[in-house]
Amino acid sequence: TRELALAIDSMFHLRTGCRIHLIVCNLRRTKLDCNRVIADGACGNADAEIAWTAFQHYIDSARLLSESKFAENFYIDLHGHGHTKQRLELGYLLTGSRLRNSDSTLNTPTFIGYSSIQNMVANNVNNYTHAELLRGPEALGTLLGNAGYPSVPSMQDIHPDTADAFFSGGHNTRMHTCGTPNVSANGVQIECNWTDVRNTNANRVKFADSLSKVLIAYLDHH
């Protein structure tokens, strides 16, 4: 996943001339889990707590710098998953059971309030609803699916089935997006499958190229 993130950064630079803010945890998951609260992620180890705090501080610093320059900001927590279904899992802080609700339920204030894109719901130029932004024709998952990368949720795959393992977004997506009060950034956790995305360098570069195209179009459109 580290190599994938670096490829994504390179593709954004190639297309825009600008760099994304990229923060990488280089420690193995057996030593530190930066996507959990510090008590669970560092397990009381003093050195791990220093690393956890530094990682979070880098994200906060990047977000504050971005907010000082731009009206809108978008956060991605990039991971790799080992689930059987070879598809991208987009975590908007909505569990599989919540995604299995109707569009009308997803569009209620309660369900919007769970979401890591709630500020986009409140302020997008085409006035798309929450459900449309999750799984409509211009949703991120739909655009990725159209580019050849099956995703859930999307118009093609509106929610995970009850028996499916699904990552809905963890600590970092909650803390560094509008899922937390007084944070304005919208964002999503992207759990990347192995086949055709992470398994070879050529596939990593190809996916990074597609993701950069899709994200630029997505952000421009909304």
Side-chain angles (χ1 to χ4, degrees), residues 22-127:
L22 178 63
I23 297 95
V24 177
C25 177
N26 288 304
L27 295 173
R28 289 186 180 275
R29 201 80 175 268
T30 53
K31 300 297 183 183
L32 178 68
D33 189 340
C34 284
N35 198 27
R36 296 180 184 272
V37 297
I38 191 169
D40 295 332
C43 295
N45 180 276
D47 291 330
E49 288 177 351
I50 292 171
W52 185 97
T53 302
F55 180 84
Q56 300 296 334
H57 177 71
Y58 276 122
I59 299 174
D60 287 332
S61 298
R63 179 176 57 79
L64 291 171
L65 179 61
S66 188
E67 286 176 350
S68 72
K69 294 184 176 183
F70 306 105
E72 302 291 344
N73 300 273
F74 199 78
Y75 170 82
I76 293 173
D77 193 22
L78 189 73
H79 294 267
H81 74 74
H83 296 158
T84 302
K85 287 191 176 180
Q86 295 301 297
R87 61 184 178 182
L88 303 173
E89 298 176 10
L90 305 184
Y92 298 98
L93 303 178
L94 297 162
T95 61
S97 61
R98 286 174 176 166
L99 288 172
R100 286 189 285 274
N101 281 283
S102 65
D103 287 359
S104 59
T105 298
L106 289 172
N107 290 334
T108 62
T110 297
F111 277 74
I112 294 171
Y114 298 137
S115 178
S116 61
I117 56 168
Q118 56 189 268
N119 283 350
M120 187 181 287
V121 177
N123 182 29
N124 69 87
V125 295
N126 297 289
N127 295 315

